Amino acid sequence: MLFTFIGGLGMFLYGMHVMADGLQHFAGGKMQGLMEFLTKNRLMAILAGTLVTAVIQSSSATTVMVVGFVNAGMMNLSQAVGVIMGANVGTTITAWMVSMSEWGSVFNPEFFAPLLLGIGAFIVLFIKSDRKKQVGEILIGFSVLFIGLSFMSGAIEPYRESPIFSQAFTVLGKNPVLAILTGAVVTAIIQSSSASVGILQTLAMNGIVTWNSAVFITLGQNIGTCVTALLSGIGSGRNGRRASVIHLCFNVFGAIIFGILMYVLFLVFPAWGHSTIDSVDISIFHTVFNISCTIILLPFAEKLVWLSGKLVPGTDELIGVGDQDTSAAKKLAKRLDKRLLNNPSFALATASREVAAMGRTACLNLETALAAVSEEDEKKAREVFEREKDINGMEKVLTAFLVEVDNLSLTEPQHEQVKNLFYTVSDIERAGDHADNIAELADNMVRDHISFSKKGKTDLELIGAQALQSLQISIEARETFSAETAASVRVLEQSVDRLEEELREKHIRRLSKGKCGPESGVIFLDIISNLERVSDHAVNIADYVAAEVQAAHGGEGKALAAAQK
């Protein structure tokens, strides 16, 4: 029976993991967009935390991601409070799933779990579509979870009349502090409040758990789930640690409020406290507790932020605010927090956003380099040289992070996107090199007192504007994942190619007629050559996006291909 219980517990935990993994893959990067969209105000942040936790089946995982986001400067502490509150509400979904076992044989997941397991296995083994395989993984995880639950319940059932259980829960019911500590320790060990609540519900199904013990153990389980976030916060920045402390304070205050309330109620109604509780009652209490705590503590959200600042003192460490001595590469490394790797879809979406940010930096550098040429400004050329060092540092950080993302559990389209992001980083870095070359040419012009004719400057401004625009639009295509935007880059690139040929011929004619000197002529030709190369890299970046769009949306991809032709 002990072996059966341990095996059932293993299946329960593993099934929860597989189901959550399948749901994450199925949701893809949509959860990242959901989190960003819904955290604009606190009520929406609570909704975001609830929905994301309901999908990934773990409030601990959601809170760990929040710690990573806060540490990376992607989310402030006020937004984090709302998401953490929502995560506590979202985690009650698992308890309701477990309590379905008591809804009668037709609705009992244990009744149809073997069938779903067979269907899920068939899909995973014989269906080639990644999307359908993700559905198969969800079915397998769901089925294994409930088969494990059945194993645990079956192992305990013969001992339901054993005095050890009744005595243990009687002791815990009389000693709320001990019950809370028991729930906290068990949850801290298995790193999941959903799993520990599920174990408690399994015991309750066999009629051996009393109301007073279950209530206080559940309160302890909500405290124990904070351990994962606290451990995650140890290696983070100050704001990351504050986010994990907010999670702890929220659950502790909630446990204190409800602990006192329920203790008084059980004193007034002792028969209720000593009566047995079933799994549905535990689900109801778990849900009421978390929703009520959110409603009660929501007005004090800013006070929780203030308290976290007192418990973790020091100045804020928001990325990009102050700290001028920190290089762009170091700031990027902080934003690409290792905790993001706990959720492959979030990690990939974050990497894509940071690649686009690197592209914007390269665009700014090209714009500054062109200004250095037209204004013959040595200071702007130096600005380009400094920013180029940042771009090179970003390339190294992003490449290292993408290697780690590529080793995660990704779908085939996601692996393809990682590969394209590798290529995009390389193309952006090469475009940055060409901007650096142009700035160096501008520096030479200033040093050697070389100037272009008015016509030459006009021609450079024309091709420079189009090359810059092609790079900017390619980065926009990456940010918006737009087929139409990507198609427009190729049109601009072809225009730059034609201009480069025309301007080269015109400038050679000016040279032959003596309208400009040979020194300025060489520099002019080098600049337009670098600009043509920039547009080539821009079209490469756009083509990577086009390939991804085509894979995701066949019809839109075909439209893009037609537009490119």
Side-chain angles (χ1 to χ4, degrees):
M1 290 300 179
L2 177 63
F3 289 178
T4 303
F5 182 83
I6 293 172
L9 177 60
M11 292 172 73
F12 177 76
L13 296 174
Y14 181 68
M16 187 179 294
H17 169 76
V18 172
M19 183 175 67
D21 215 33
L23 285 165
Q24 287 184 47
H25 283 151
F26 191 77
K30 294 175 184 175
M31 287 193 296
Q32 175 82 8
L34 178 73
M35 188 80 88
E36 290 175 353
F37 173 74
L38 294 179
T39 52
K40 296 185 185 298
N41 66 60
R42 189 161 292 128
L43 288 175
M44 296 296 273
I46 291 172
L47 180 60
T50 302
L51 293 175
V52 170
T53 305
V55 169
I56 65 177
Q57 294 287 295
S58 173
S59 61
S60 298
T62 301
T63 309
V64 167
M65 283 190 286
V66 168
V67 171
F69 291 157
V70 172
N71 189 54
M74 296 159 56
M75 182 185 292
N76 60 43
L77 287 170
S78 292
Q79 292 170 321
V81 175
V83 177
I84 289 167
M85 290 178 174
N88 279 23
V89 176
T91 196
T92 61
I93 296 297
T94 309
W96 281 107
M97 288 172 58
V98 172
S99 64
M100 285 169 62
S101 299
E102 296 195 14
W103 293 4
S105 60
V106 177
F107 299 101
N108 188 342
E110 293 171 22
F111 174 73
F112 49 81
L115 174 64
L116 295 181
L117 179 60
I119 295 171
F122 180 84
I123 292 172
V124 170
L125 291 173
F126 301 110
I127 304 297
K128 292 184 178 180
S129 167
D130 285 327
R131 195 74 172 164
K132 290 176 181 175
K133 281 189 175 183
Q134 290 156 12
V135 175
E137 288 177 7
I138 295 168
L139 292 177
I140 289 173
F142 181 83
S143 306
V144 171
L145 185 155
F146 282 101
I147 292 172
L149 194 66
S150 178
F151 271 49
M152 285 194 293
S153 181
I156 292 169
E157 190 170 3
Y159 302 102
R160 61 192 303 171
E161 304 300 332
S162 175
I164 187 170
F165 284 111
S166 58
Q167 288 171 6
F169 284 111
T170 300
V171 170
L172 292 174
K174 290 179 178 177
N175 193 329
V177 175
L178 182 60
I180 290 172
L181 286 174
T182 301
V185 170
V186 170
T187 305
I189 291 171
I190 63 177
Q191 299 275 295
S192 172
S193 63
S194 297
S196 61
V197 170
I199 295 169
L200 181 64
Q201 287 178 292
T202 304
L203 296 171
M205 287 175 195
N206 289 278
I208 57 179
V209 183
T210 58
W211 261 94
N212 49 12
S213 58
V215 163
F216 296 119
I217 289 172
T218 302
L219 296 178
Q221 288 167 337
N222 278 271
I223 296 173
T225 196
C226 301
V227 171
T228 309
L230 289 170
L231 291 173
S232 176
I234 290 172
S236 69
R238 190 168 287 110
N239 278 324
R241 294 196 296 275
R242 285 174 180 168
S244 60
V245 167
I246 287 172
H247 186 213
L248 177 64
C249 291
F250 175 75
N251 283 4
V252 167
F253 289 150
I256 291 171
I257 293 168
F258 261 77
I260 294 172
L261 175 64
M262 297 307 295
Y263 184 74
V264 172
L265 286 174
F266 290 144
L267 285 177
V268 176
F269 306 103
W272 175 33
H274 296 307
S275 63
T276 55
I277 189 172
D278 60 32
S279 65
V280 177
D281 291 331
I282 291 176
S283 297
I284 292 171
F285 174 74
H286 195 217
T287 303
V288 169
F289 164 68
N290 282 296
I291 292 176
S292 299
C293 285
T294 299
I295 294 171
I296 292 168
L297 294 175
L298 182 59
F300 304 99
E302 290 302 325
K303 294 295 182 183
L304 288 173
V305 174
W306 172 83
L307 180 60
S308 72
K310 292 296 181 182
L311 295 175
V312 185
T315 56
D316 291 346
E317 294 177 348
L318 290 174
I319 304 302
V321 180
D323 199 11
Q324 298 298 324
D325 296 331
T326 305
S327 70
K330 286 182 179 178
K331 291 178 181 179
L332 175 61
K334 284 186 178 181
R335 290 197 297 274
L336 297 176
D337 196 285
K338 298 292 183 185
R339 293 161 192 80
L340 298 175
L341 298 172
N342 291 322
N343 186 304
S345 297
F346 276 85
L348 182 55
T350 302
S352 181
R353 183 177 58 249
E354 292 300 342
V355 168
M358 176 186 173
R360 290 295 178 194
T361 304
C363 290
L364 177 60
N365 230 23
L366 179 59
E367 187 176 5
T368 308
L370 290 170
V373 170
S374 64
E375 299 169 20
E376 298 176 14
D377 190 334
E378 187 178 13
K379 187 180 291 184
K380 287 188 176 177
R382 299 294 174 195
E383 186 181 327
V384 172
F385 300 150
E386 288 303 313
R387 197 177 289 120
E388 171 62 11
K389 294 177 185 176
D390 288 338
I391 293 172
N392 291 337
M394 289 177 186
E395 181 200 20
K396 292 176 182 176
V397 172
L398 277 167
T399 300
F401 186 75
L402 286 170
V403 168
E404 294 191 75
V405 173
D406 199 39
N407 288 321
L408 299 177
S409 175
L410 301 175
T411 62
E412 199 57 42
Q414 286 176 324
H415 277 296
E416 190 67 20
Q417 187 180 354
V418 172
K419 183 186 74 175
N420 287 338
L421 288 174
F422 273 120
Y423 295 152
T424 301
V425 168
S426 178
D427 276 294
I428 291 172
E429 193 277 332
R430 292 296 300 137
D433 287 344
H434 291 301
D436 188 68
N437 292 343
I438 293 170
E440 194 172 336
L441 293 168
D443 193 43
N444 292 340
M445 288 176 64
V446 174
R447 189 176 59 250
D448 299 335
H449 305 290
I450 298 171
S451 295
F452 295 131
S453 64
K454 188 175 181 180
K455 178 60 176 170
K457 285 186 176 181
T458 302
D459 289 342
L460 271 182
E461 287 174 3
L462 179 62
I463 190 173
Q466 291 200 16
L468 175 60
Q469 190 179 13
S470 69
L471 186 60
Q472 289 172 331
I473 293 176
S474 71
I475 300 303
E476 183 184 337
R478 165 55 62 192
E479 288 175 324
T480 60
F481 199 64
S482 167
E484 292 79 6
T485 305
S488 65
V489 176
R490 185 167 289 277
V491 175
L492 276 167
E493 188 266 344
Q494 291 170 349
S495 175
V496 171
D497 284 350
R498 287 194 298 270
L499 267 174
E500 196 260 349
E501 289 179 10
E502 291 173 12
L503 296 182
R504 186 178 293 275
E505 290 177 6
K506 285 168 63 177
H507 198 71
I508 290 172
R509 284 200 296 270
R510 283 200 297 270
L511 277 170
S512 63
K513 292 178 180 179
K515 292 183 178 179
C516 63
E519 296 88 354
S520 64
V522 171
I523 291 177
F524 183 91
L525 294 175
D526 281 348
I527 291 174
I528 63 173
S529 177
N530 276 284
L531 290 171
E532 190 272 334
R533 297 285 180 83
V534 167
S535 68
D536 287 343
H537 290 295
V539 84
N540 287 345
I541 295 168
D543 283 348
Y544 305 142
V545 177
E548 292 169 30
V549 172
Q550 188 169 11
H553 314 289
E556 192 176 358
K558 289 174 185 175
L560 170 64
Q564 288 177 339
K565 288 178 182 178

